[in-house]
């Protein structure tokens, strides 16, 4: 099947099309067959992790706290894990199996990823600095450092190998389409079973930081041209919620944990911004867009997933406030320490909520909402 056929054979291009006919990789779409919830029900457990570059260490620290409190790996506590940009690293890292089909990494290992390898990801030569001309001429960093680190951490693993279902956001720039890489779909059709390292490379190709990723599909003539999914879903929690609603149509109960990487608080004074042109706004617009869309998703889910009549919470959002450390690429030891302190503050100020969340996760550890995931992919 050509890539053009894959992209458009089920795309909703008219009001007469069925709601069930959508492109398999399109954001919010699902080709899952109708799944019946079991007799003994429990909430569908969803973990969502925002984008945010080096600030991904914040959700990693929160997840390490959850693993410590529950005594279980994150992959066993959630049915679906969604990640955007750096959230893709955390999501797939915590679902990556070892040779014994157990978790290769714990959350504390992902913390080490940011501490030890962040500078390798965000490093550039003097010549690269000159050529980039303040990020105006080309991406700030070469992708070589990122690709090298991903090779070391993820090796040949495929997205279908993940220990629980993941969905990873990216954006196709030639066809102007948002998409998600889904492990559930990859397990049913090898056409969608990409290498984990390539999926993360695509998911983390933040504009002005890294060049777009080129992902070959269906032979050398077809490809995806991909950038960071933060351009449409820096907070992928709403997309994950819709995916879960489609995949578990009989289940009306959810438990959502949404983790941010820090919200912006620094003012952009009007008397300065009013005179800005493309050069100044270009340095701000990506982070502004990501921050604003993340806040809106939080607001929407707070309304949609209100506590149940028995008082059980369905939605948790943990977020740090950023003052002077909002950069996506500051991997200095000083900034890493500041980010860790911010994460500790989030944990300490949400002790009660974390305790209740962890108890819910343990209470709902079994049984699963479905015993086996089955998806049907149209071949027409």
């Amino acid at each position: 099947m050509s890539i053009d056929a894959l992209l458009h054979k089920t795309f909703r291009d008219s009001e007469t099309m069925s709601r069930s006919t959508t492109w398999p990789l399109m954001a919010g779409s699902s080709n899952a067959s109708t799944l019946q919830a079991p007799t003994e029900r429990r909430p569908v457990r969803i973990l969502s992790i925002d984008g945010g570059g080096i600030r991904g260490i914040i959700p990693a620290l929160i997840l390490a706290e959850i693993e410590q409190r529950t005594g279980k790996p994150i992959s066993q506590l959630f049915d679906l894990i969604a990640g955007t940009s750096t959230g893709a690293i955390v999501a797939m890292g915590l679902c990556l199996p070892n040779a014994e089909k157990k978790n290769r990494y714990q959350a504390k290992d992902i913390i080490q990823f940011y501490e030890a390898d962040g500078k390798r990801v965000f490093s550039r030569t003097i010549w690269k600095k000159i050529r980039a001309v303040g990020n105006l001429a080309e991406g700030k960093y070469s992708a070589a450092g990122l690709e090298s680190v991903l090779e070391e951490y993820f090796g040949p693993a495929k997205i279908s190998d993940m220990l629980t279902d993941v969905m990873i956001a990216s954006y196709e720039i030639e066809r102007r389409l948002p998409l998600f890489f889904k492990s559930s779909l990859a397990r049913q059709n090898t056409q969608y079973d990409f290498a984990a390292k390539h999926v993360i490379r695509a998911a983390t190709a933040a504009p002005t930081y890294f060049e777009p990723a080129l992902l070959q599909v269906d032979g050398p003539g077809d490809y995806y041209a991909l950038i960071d999914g933060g351009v449409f879903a820096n907070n992928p929690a709403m997309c994950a919620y819709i995916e879960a609603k489609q995949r578990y149509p009989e289940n009306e109960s959810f438990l959502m944990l949404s983790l941010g990487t820090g919200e912006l608080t620094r003012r952009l004074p009007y008397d300065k911004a009013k005179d800005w042109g493309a050069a100044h706004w270009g340095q701000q617009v990506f982070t502004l867009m990501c921050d604003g869309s993340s806040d809106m998703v939080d607001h929407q889910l707070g309304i949609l997933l209100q506590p149940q009549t028995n008082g059980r919470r369905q939605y948790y959002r943990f977020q740090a406030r950023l003052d002077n450390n909002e950069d996506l690429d500051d991997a200095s030891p000083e900034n890493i320490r500041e980010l860790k302190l911010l994460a500790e503050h989030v944990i300490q100020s949400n002790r009660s909520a974390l305790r209740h969340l962890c108890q819910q996760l343990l209470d709902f550890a079994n049984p699963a909402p479905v015993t086996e995931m089955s998806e049907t992919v149209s071949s027409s």
Side-chain angles (χ1 to χ4, degrees), residues 40-289:
E40 187 178 0
R41 296 181 181 180
R42 65 156 171 76
V44 180
R45 305 162 303 169
I46 306 167
L47 170 62
S48 172
I49 309 167
D50 288 13
I54 196 66
R55 303 192 323 245
I57 195 172
I58 295 174
L61 282 155
I62 296 171
L63 291 169
E65 179 72 12
I66 291 172
E67 284 190 334
Q68 192 276 326
R69 287 176 180 239
T70 61
K72 290 181 177 292
I74 293 300
S75 65
Q76 292 182 14
L77 295 173
F78 294 94
D79 305 300
L80 176 64
I81 303 179
T84 294
S85 192
T86 197
I89 297 174
V90 179
M92 298 188 77
L94 293 178
C95 295
L96 187 71
N98 59 20
E100 289 75 39
K101 303 299 181 183
K102 296 181 180 180
N103 290 83
R104 181 173 178 180
Y105 302 121
Q106 299 177 7
K108 63 183 181 181
D109 300 311
I110 307 302
I111 297 169
Q112 180 68 16
F113 170 92
Y114 290 101
E115 290 179 325
D117 295 300
K119 296 206 74 160
R120 291 174 57 196
V121 172
F122 298 112
S123 65
R124 56 180 180 166
T125 64
I126 295 296
W127 176 237
K128 178 66 174 176
K129 292 180 181 179
I130 295 172
R131 287 195 309 170
V133 193
N135 304 6
L136 295 177
E138 59 182 50
K140 188 174 183 179
Y141 300 103
S142 165
L146 171 61
E147 291 170 356
S148 174
V149 172
L150 293 179
E151 175 65 37
E152 291 178 17
Y153 275 81
F154 292 90
K158 297 290 192 73
I159 190 172
S160 63
D161 297 328
M162 299 297 104
L163 293 172
T164 196
D165 284 335
V166 299
M167 56 184 293
I168 304 300
S170 189
Y171 187 85
E172 219 287 344
I173 58 174
E174 291 195 358
R175 297 165 180 86
R176 298 296 185 98
L177 289 172
L179 62 83
F180 279 97
F181 296 96
K182 303 175 185 179
S183 58
S184 57
L185 191 59
R187 285 194 290 270
Q188 297 299 317
N189 191 325
T190 56
Q191 185 176 15
Y192 310 124
D193 194 14
F194 301 101
K197 61 189 176 186
H198 294 156
V199 170
I200 297 173
R201 169 67 178 89
T204 55
T208 76
Y209 289 90
F210 296 105
E211 66 193 62
L214 193 69
L215 185 60
Q216 298 289 344
V217 293
D218 262 2
D222 292 323
Y223 59 87
Y224 289 137
L226 299 162
I227 62 172
D228 194 313
V231 299
F232 74 95
N234 194 62
N235 176 350
M238 181 63 76
C239 298
Y241 173 66
I242 296 301
E243 176 76 6
K245 290 280 287 184
Q246 290 182 313
R247 298 188 63 196
Y248 304 98
E250 298 300 316
N251 204 315
E252 299 178 356
S253 182
F254 297 86
L255 178 57
M256 165 79 77
L257 170 60
S258 176
L259 297 178
T261 58
E263 62 180 343
L264 307 182
T265 60
R266 181 173 58 87
R267 291 176 59 250
L268 298 180
Y270 168 77
D271 59 350
K272 293 184 179 180
K274 67 182 178 67
D275 297 321
W276 286 355
H280 280 95
W281 278 114
Q283 298 173 27
Q284 304 287 341
V285 69
F286 182 67
T287 54
L288 286 173
M289 178 178 60

Side-chain angles (χ1 to χ4, degrees), residues 351-363:
R351 290 192 303 273
S352 177
L354 275 168
R355 183 173 64 252
H356 288 294
L357 168 64
C358 290
Q359 187 59 58
Q360 284 179 263
L361 290 171
L362 288 174
D363 289 344

